[in-house]
C-alpha cells in the first residue's frame, strides 16, 4: 500500500471523527466570531437565530480537511453543515430545510432563540498552524 493511500485513509478516518465532534458541526471559512466569507457569516447567523449549539472547524486553517471534505461529503463548496454526523448541506440547502420545516434544528437547540452559540470547547476545531 502506498503512503499516499494510507494518508487518504487516515484523512477519511479523521473526517469521520470531525463531522461527529459536536451534534451540529459547521465547516466554515474563518470562525463564528470572524467569518471569512458571507455564506459562512449567514449560516452562523441562522444557527444563532435558531438557538443551535454547534461546533466549528475553520477549513482555511487545514488544507487537507478543506480538500478532503469536498470528496467526503460530495459537496464542492463551503460552508458545510453536519447534524448528528450526517451531511445536511451548504447554505442554500439549510435555508430550504428551514423554510420547509422551521423546527429542523429543534433537537439541537440548547439556548433561547437568538442566543445560539458554540458547543463545548472540545468541539471547537481551529487547528494550530502546521509546523514545517
Amino acid at each position: 500500500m502506498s503512503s499516499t493511500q494510507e494518508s487518504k485513509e487516515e484523512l477519511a478516518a479523521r473526517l469521520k471523527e470531525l463531522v461527529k465532534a459536536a451534534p451540529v458541526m459547521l465547516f466554515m471559512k474563518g470562525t463564528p466570531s470572524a467569518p471569512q466569507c458571507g455564506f459562512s457569516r449567514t449560516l452562523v447567523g441562522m444557527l444563532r437565530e435558531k438557538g443551535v449549539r454547534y461546533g466549528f472547524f475553520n477549513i482555511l486553517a487545514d488544507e487537507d480537511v478543506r480538500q478532503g471534505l469536498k470528496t467526503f461529503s460530495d459537496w464542492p463548496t463551503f460552508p458545510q453543515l453536519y447534524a448528528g454526523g450526517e451531511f445536511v448541506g451548504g447554505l442554500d440547502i439549510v435555508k430550504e430545510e428551514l423554510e420547509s420545516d422551521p423546527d429542523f434544528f429543534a433537537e439541537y437547540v440548547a439556548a433561547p432563540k437568538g442566543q445560539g452559540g458554540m458547543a463545548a470547547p472540545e468541539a471547537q476545531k481551529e487547528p494550530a498552524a502546521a509546523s514545517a
Side-chain angles (χ1 to χ4, degrees), residues 57-121:
F57 190 102
N58 178 4
I59 55 133
L60 299 177
D62 190 320
E63 189 64 20
D64 288 342
V65 169
R66 182 179 186 175
Q67 296 306 321
L69 205 55
K70 292 177 184 182
T71 303
F72 184 82
S73 64
D74 196 24
W75 195 262
T77 60
F78 291 93
Q80 292 185 12
L81 190 74
Y82 284 75
E86 298 294 320
F87 181 61
V88 174
L91 177 60
D92 290 344
I93 301 298
V94 174
K95 279 183 179 179
E96 289 173 17
E97 291 288 355
L98 286 170
E99 285 171 11
S100 65
D101 178 9
D103 293 327
F104 180 73
F105 288 116
E107 68 181 281
Y108 303 107
V109 173
K113 284 188 178 179
Q115 297 185 18
M118 295 173 282

Side-chain angles (χ1 to χ4, degrees), residues 26-49:
L26 176 60
F27 293 84
M28 64 181 291
K29 293 179 179 177
T31 65
S33 59
Q36 297 295 304
C37 83
F39 298 111
S40 292
R41 178 178 291 108
T42 300
L43 191 46
V44 164
M46 291 169 63
L47 293 171
R48 285 183 178 152
E49 179 184 321

